[in-house]
Amino acid sequence: MEHLAYKRKVTIMIAIMAAMLFAAVNQTIVGTALPRIIAELGGIQYFSWVFTIFMLASSITAILVGKLSDIYGRKPFILVGIGIFSVGSLLAGFSNDIFQLIACRGVQGLGGGLIMSTAFAAVGDLFAPRERGRWQGLMSSVFGLASVFGPTLGGWIVDNANWHWVFWVFLPFGIVAFVLILILFPNVEKKAGEKVDYAGSLFLTTTITPLLLAFSWAGSKYDWASVQIVGLFLVTIASLIVFIVVENKVKSPVLPLHLFRNPIFSLSNIIGFILGAGMFGAAMYIPFFIQGVIGRSATASGFIMMPMTFGMVIASTLGGQFISKTGKYKILALAGLLVMSAGMFSLAFMDLNTTITHVIVSNIFIGVGLGMSFPVFTLTIQNAVEQRFLGVATASAQLFRQIGGTVGVAIMGTIMNLRMEHETKEVTSEMGASLMNNPMLAKIVQKLDPQILMNHDGLEKLKDSIPAQFAPAFAKIMDSMRDVLSYGLTGVYFIAAFVVLAGFLLTFFLKEIPLRSSQPADEKQNKEKQQAM
């Protein structure tokens, strides 16, 4: 599709980015609205599934549709994705209980995976590798915008209107994107001789699903050594072995294993995994510090996080322009990972006296570094594989980042909890003598969990219940709890910084091959060109 007029390609890209914004905002808008939704629907013990089911469904469909879109073209899958996501969003707004909401979020996840996978692959269809940098950067900035406006809008809706509109407000975006893609996106003939790999698809699904569930539940719902988590890991290993056997025998595998013999493909996915682990593992805990240690509100936390997002949007846009102009990308990835690591190291040295300015500056470093490096590794993968494997290669990049994020969140959450548990014992031991004469405060300390620091209303009620003579002692206890939470969180940032630094070091081994200025034209592309004319 490289032969299309530039104006038409730009119009198609606007439609694709509208579809991505539709999916991304619907994902981020739920976060701030969920407490109000749970208050009405009930089922707080199941609330994590609202996110988990979306992640599982989108991860599975993203990798499965990668190969299918290489066979049948991107257009039918992005249209189906928008349709499924729209239906899921519409039904989610009509949910009467938490189980209906979870089921609808699963439908949204199926559509979201289709949209994201085909959208990034479509860039490779429309533009030569040299031009892709600009568009990969712009598409990455869509996620940044969704991260800024989604939570803010979600909070405003639940405060001023019915929570159902959280799922309905962006439905017109989906309709407009669907119509534009339907009209403008060229049709592509099915590749002759290609068959769908049903067995490989099945065992890939049974590999990914228990793996993501294991890391989602480990350390929170179940212990790492529990029967449930070990069992999930064993199912993953068994399914992976069968999957490899199947893929080596079928003619048209859902994930061609020979791609992993390409060092650029393999190394880019490993770095993408590391980037996902560092990014998701640390970024999601920053609001904990802002709200719990510094004591700011959830709304203020959102505004404090905004500079990081704006930094990511600006850096990804300018970085894309740099790649398209110079054809160089390795230096951008190295600089981005180094800047991101520096921002995380800065967060690792925070304490009770840390200022908001410190947090904002560190977040800007993380955002800028992320914006510079995030689009690069999808580009390197697309540039290193044959055009006929573009869809499955792009989907693999998304899958590895998603798995990296899930693994990162689980491991760093475990690190945080272990550090807090150790520090709580230390603090309780130090307070032991002073609490001997205050049975009331001793009872409170036994029940206290550093996570209560995020519940400002509950904390105020607890404070008001304390007799005036015990207020100074209670204030010291709260400072100790903040110190415990700070100790746990800074350990997370420290580990995350080293994880990203490992990605920086691995990038030195990534071979930089020239970005092609045009796609190779084979018989099928010529045929497609004639058909489009």
Side-chain angles (χ1 to χ4, degrees), residues 101-181:
L101 180 61
I102 290 169
C104 293
R105 286 287 289 171
V107 174
Q108 280 188 308
L110 293 174
L114 290 169
I115 293 171
M116 297 303 175
S117 179
T118 51
F120 279 98
V123 177
D125 292 331
L126 291 165
F127 300 98
R130 183 71 177 261
E131 297 179 87
R132 290 175 197 164
R134 178 186 295 112
W135 292 102
Q136 296 282 17
L138 288 171
M139 290 174 74
S140 296
S141 69
V142 168
F143 290 98
L145 291 173
S147 299
V148 171
F149 297 114
T152 306
L153 183 60
W156 185 88
I157 288 174
V158 296
D159 286 338
N160 297 279
N162 195 301
W163 65 263
H164 303 277
W165 285 99
V166 165
F167 298 99
W168 296 339
V169 68
F170 283 104
L171 282 175
F173 270 85
I175 296 170
V176 171
F178 186 94
V179 172
L180 286 174
I181 292 170

Side-chain angles (χ1 to χ4, degrees), residues 177-438:
F178 186 94
V179 172
L180 286 174
I181 292 170
L182 180 65
I183 295 171
L184 296 171
F185 209 100
N187 293 310
V188 178
E189 286 186 352
K190 176 184 179 296
K191 289 184 178 178
E194 295 276 5
K195 294 183 179 179
V196 178
D197 177 16
Y198 293 106
S201 300
L202 172 64
F203 287 106
L204 181 59
T205 301
T206 56
T207 298
I208 296 171
T209 302
L211 178 67
L212 293 179
L213 284 175
F215 279 107
S216 296
W217 288 340
S220 55
K221 188 176 180 65
Y222 303 106
D223 291 334
W224 281 91
S226 66
V227 173
Q228 292 87 346
I229 300 303
V230 172
L232 287 169
F233 281 130
L234 289 175
V235 172
T236 295
I237 293 169
S239 296
L240 179 61
I241 293 170
V242 177
F243 172 72
I244 292 172
V245 172
V246 169
E247 294 302 272
N248 281 322
K249 290 183 177 181
V250 297
K251 181 181 178 182
S252 183
V254 65
L255 180 57
L257 299 182
H258 70 81
L259 291 176
F260 290 95
R261 291 199 290 268
N262 182 328
I264 296 177
F265 177 87
S266 298
L267 191 55
S268 293
N269 274 323
I270 292 171
I271 298 170
F273 175 92
I274 290 172
L275 189 60
M279 176 182 68
F280 291 109
M284 75 168 293
Y285 291 109
I286 295 174
F288 282 55
F289 193 95
I290 297 170
Q291 296 176 47
V293 180
I294 299 179
R296 295 300 181 96
S297 67
T299 303
S301 175
F303 283 111
I304 292 169
M305 294 290 288
M306 273 189 181
M308 180 176 76
T309 307
F310 283 126
M312 186 184 82
V313 170
I314 294 169
S316 62
T317 303
L318 295 180
Q321 297 287 344
F322 173 82
I323 292 172
S324 293
K325 282 186 178 181
T326 65
K328 302 292 183 182
Y329 52 84
K330 186 173 179 177
I331 184 65
L332 197 68
L334 287 168
L337 289 168
L338 190 61
V339 169
M340 187 178 172
S341 181
M344 288 182 174
F345 270 121
S346 178
L347 291 177
F349 290 97
M350 295 191 300
D351 56 27
L352 297 185
N353 299 314
T354 296
T355 63
I356 294 296
T357 303
H358 182 145
V359 177
I360 290 174
V361 172
S362 300
N363 282 349
I364 290 173
F365 270 80
I366 293 172
V368 169
L370 185 59
M372 293 169 69
S373 57
F374 192 78
V376 170
F377 298 103
T378 300
L379 181 65
T380 57
I381 287 172
Q382 290 183 340
N383 190 49
V385 302
E386 296 176 54
Q387 188 72 16
R388 60 198 178 103
F389 297 119
L390 189 68
V392 69
T394 304
S396 74
Q398 289 182 278
L399 177 65
F400 274 87
R401 272 200 300 262
Q402 181 72 52
I403 294 175
T406 306
V407 172
V409 168
I411 292 177
M412 291 178 197
T414 300
I415 291 170
M416 181 183 75
N417 290 330
L418 288 174
R419 285 172 64 89
M420 286 198 303
E421 184 179 338
H422 174 268
E423 191 70 4
T424 299
K425 289 179 181 178
E426 293 285 330
V427 169
T428 305
S429 176
E430 290 175 5
M431 290 182 178
S434 60
L435 294 175
M436 288 289 289
N437 299 323
N438 290 315

